[in-house]
Amino acid sequence: MSELIRKTATEIAGLVASGETSAVEVTRAHLDRITEVDDRVRAFLHVDTEGALAAARAVDERRAAGEPLGPLAGVPVAVKDVLTTRGVPTTVGSKILEGWRPPYDATIVSRLREAGTVMLGKTNMDEFAMGSSTEYSAYGATHNPWDLGRIPGGSGGGSAAALAAYEAPLAIGSDTGGSIRQPGAVTGTVGAKPTYGGTSRYGLVAFSSSLDTPGPCARTVLDAALLHQVIGGHDPRDSTSIPAPVPDVVAAAKLGATGDLTGVRLGVVKEFSGEGAEPGVLAAFREAVETLTKLGAEIVEVSCPNFSYALPAYYLIAPSECSSNLARFDGVRFGLREGDDGNRSLEEVMSLTRDVGFGPEVKRRIMLGTYALSSGYYDAYYGQAQKVRTLITRDFTAAFERVDALISPTTPFVAFEMGARTSDPYQMYLADLFTIPTNLYGGPGISVPCGLADGLPVGLQVMAPTMADDRMYRVAAALESAVGTLTPPAL
């Protein structure tokens, strides 16, 4: 194994900038690693070898010409297959978009290119980002590098697994109900969900428009912060984009790495620190809380009583929005078209296309959402869920009057075995029990490794007020400085 793939993104960028190695060498090392292990991990849906090497050569040419390089120039990145990439397949893990090559880049992808990062390819995901294990991908499941018989989380399990398997030092994910943080927790990597509107959704294939948030994935908190700085900021092409600069998350991560949290007040969410989580997860979390106390943080218990309603509220709001967003996949404008033999009506072609193109979980959520929005039920279901969302936001607001940030386990359990929950959707949905409230509120959250339970990674979640993303990076980096990063067994 090349030592280059073990380096952090920060280290790789430094080596490329100094000329000690080339971007092409770094890229080849990661492409070789993908060739070596991805037949077992299955993190990638598409590897863009030619495009990656061309981008790397461009970085080397800029360095040779004496041009200034950005802080992540020459660093490879894996992109979740939910973001459009010009000329590169974008499937969202679904058969209905099989073979589709978008004519434009998502804003985040454009910013990655402008920063000189090298896009290795597109990573696997639950179809249309609907799932918590990446088992609902139409192209087969991704496997957790810690144990290939276990799930890597979802929906963005491909991005997290690529990091844990050393196939990429950086990755992009999207978080609708925990799809960056939960995979980070179960693969021993770092996953950050920015404030909603802090990263552009232009070019992100929509699942739930009021919740979807693209964000950074990495093996260290500083690397995640550097990637966040590159992709974040206002985008006039996204009507929900916040017209304000990204908080200085890089400076916050560096401050946290000193290991000093003196003066920081952290709230342990009462509702997420007792029943509902595996004993090993709770033990690792409590040990991490003790570590944060030793670093100078003041720890208080905070009750957020409406958090217990977050899961049912989410599973009314997200399916309702998905049923509307996915209506565009009709077999007429782009993507799969089934049964168009000249004898069938438009409605029959649409029905056949959606039947063949969508998987069981997507169909389940479309039906749930359509029912919740139907005449006579809108106020009883979707309307009530939005009221609960307001109550959850009030819980966050009240909590942040007392503390600087909230902490909890990221997910109630460690990575479970493949197939263990696919027959019981409710048990699958519980994977996001602790992450969903942050999405309903719209604030930032980050998962950072805090230890092991039964030999498998456990994540600690830090939640901060909206547009205070820097706070979560400081706390996460401080914990990382004390407990270190996690290294999976050799593949």
Side-chain angles (χ1 to χ4, degrees):
M1 185 191 303
S2 168
E3 282 303 309
L4 284 173
I5 65 169
R6 294 274 184 181
K7 303 287 186 187
T8 66
T10 307
E11 291 168 338
I12 289 171
L15 291 170
V16 171
S18 68
E20 291 180 61
T21 191
S22 69
V24 168
E25 281 184 271
V26 171
T27 301
R28 286 195 189 280
H30 286 89
L31 290 171
D32 288 346
R33 177 63 172 174
I34 292 169
T35 300
E36 178 190 355
V37 303
D38 206 57
D39 60 334
R40 287 168 284 157
V41 177
R42 302 189 65 171
F44 283 86
L45 289 177
H46 177 78
V47 178
D48 186 17
T49 301
E50 188 176 315
L53 290 172
R57 281 191 291 270
V59 171
D60 290 337
E61 288 167 5
R62 286 174 53 200
R63 188 193 64 78
E67 296 179 27
L69 299 178
L72 290 178
V75 180
V77 60
V79 176
K80 186 178 181 181
D81 200 26
V82 72
L83 288 159
T84 57
T85 42
R86 182 167 46 85
V88 177
T90 300
T91 69
V92 204
S94 178
K95 289 292 183 184
I96 209 160
L97 281 178
E98 187 172 14
W100 183 55
R101 293 176 181 262
Y104 69 102
D105 278 335
T107 293
I108 283 180
V109 173
S110 296
R111 290 178 177 176
L112 289 171
R113 295 192 198 279
E114 290 163 8
T117 63
V118 176
M119 191 181 78
L120 295 171
K122 309 295 287 292
T123 56
N124 199 14
M125 57 183 285
D126 285 298
E127 185 180 5
F128 280 95
M130 299 179 198
S132 302
S133 66
T134 317
E135 292 173 287
Y136 291 131
S137 169
Y139 302 98
T142 296
H143 301 263
N144 193 327
W146 283 81
D147 180 342
L148 295 175
R150 295 179 182 267
I151 59 101
S155 63
S159 287
L163 296 171
Y166 296 98
E167 295 176 277
L170 295 173
I172 297 292
S174 67
D175 196 307
T176 306
S179 293
I180 289 175
R181 290 162 289 156
Q182 185 253 5
V186 301
T187 59
T189 58
V190 176
K193 174 213 170 294
T195 294
Y196 177 81
T199 48
S200 174
R201 290 189 303 111
Y202 178 78
L204 177 83
V205 181
F207 161 20
S208 181
S209 300
S210 73
L211 300 166
D212 297 339
T213 308
C217 312
R219 288 195 293 268
T220 71
V221 175
L222 178 58
D223 285 356
L226 286 163
L227 187 54
H228 188 157
Q229 200 84 57
V230 164
I231 65 173
H234 181 242
D235 178 15
R237 293 180 293 185
D238 175 5
S239 62
T240 59
S241 179
I242 298 171
V246 179
D248 196 346
V249 294
V250 174
K254 290 178 178 177
L255 175 62
T258 64
D260 184 6
L261 289 178
T262 303
V264 176
R265 193 174 169 91
L266 300 176
V268 174
V269 180
K270 177 184 176 183
E271 288 72 15
F272 290 167
S273 56
E275 293 181 10
E278 290 176 347
V281 169
L282 285 178
F285 172 69
R286 288 168 183 154
E287 191 173 328
V289 171
E290 290 179 16
T291 300
L292 291 168
T293 303
K294 292 174 184 176
L295 295 174
E298 180 185 356
I299 307 292
V300 298
E301 186 176 73
V302 175
S303 179
C304 298
N306 294 296
F307 280 18
S308 59
Y309 304 117
L311 192 70
Y314 173 87
Y315 278 102
L316 284 168
I317 293 170
S320 295
E321 294 183 6
C322 111
S323 74
S324 176
N325 279 322
L326 269 61
R328 73 193 65 174
F329 300 101
D330 53 13
V332 175
R333 285 163 285 193
F334 51 82
L336 180 72
R337 179 179 299 177
E338 193 73 22
D340 186 13
D341 58 5
N343 297 314
R344 290 187 172 94
S345 68
L346 177 62
E347 288 77 12
E348 287 176 307
V349 171
M350 282 184 181
S351 180
L352 285 167
T353 298
R354 290 166 69 83
D355 181 44
V356 172
F358 290 143
E361 182 62 22
V362 172
K363 290 175 183 174
R364 182 182 295 121
R365 298 200 197 192
I366 289 174
M367 288 189 288
L368 277 171
T370 303
Y371 181 78
L373 293 176
S374 60
S375 177
Y377 295 100
Y378 181 96
D379 290 333
Y381 292 107
Y382 184 74
Q384 287 294 101
Q386 290 289 16
K387 291 176 184 177
V388 170
R389 187 176 192 171
T390 300
L391 294 175
I392 290 166
T393 298
R394 289 176 184 170
D395 278 356
F396 272 108
T397 302
F400 290 135
E401 289 175 357
R402 295 183 54 200
V403 298
D404 297 305
L406 295 171
I407 55 175
S408 76
T410 306
T411 187
F413 31 74
V414 295
F416 48 86
E417 291 183 351
M418 308 282 288
R421 295 173 186 257
T422 48
S423 61
D424 188 342
Y426 180 70
Q427 289 301 314
M428 185 73 80
Y429 297 165
L430 287 174
D432 298 329
L433 184 66
F434 299 160
T435 52
I436 281 173
T438 301
N439 294 88
L440 294 174
Y441 163 58
I446 190 171
S447 178
V448 61
C450 68
L452 299 173
D454 301 320
L456 295 167
V458 176
L460 177 138
Q461 178 181 212
V462 186
M463 297 162 276
T466 54
M467 292 307 289
D469 304 50
D470 50 329
R471 294 189 196 179
M472 70 178 186
Y473 278 102
R474 181 183 177 188
V475 176
L479 181 63
E480 181 183 74
S481 73
V483 304
T485 56
L486 298 180
T487 303
L491 286 170

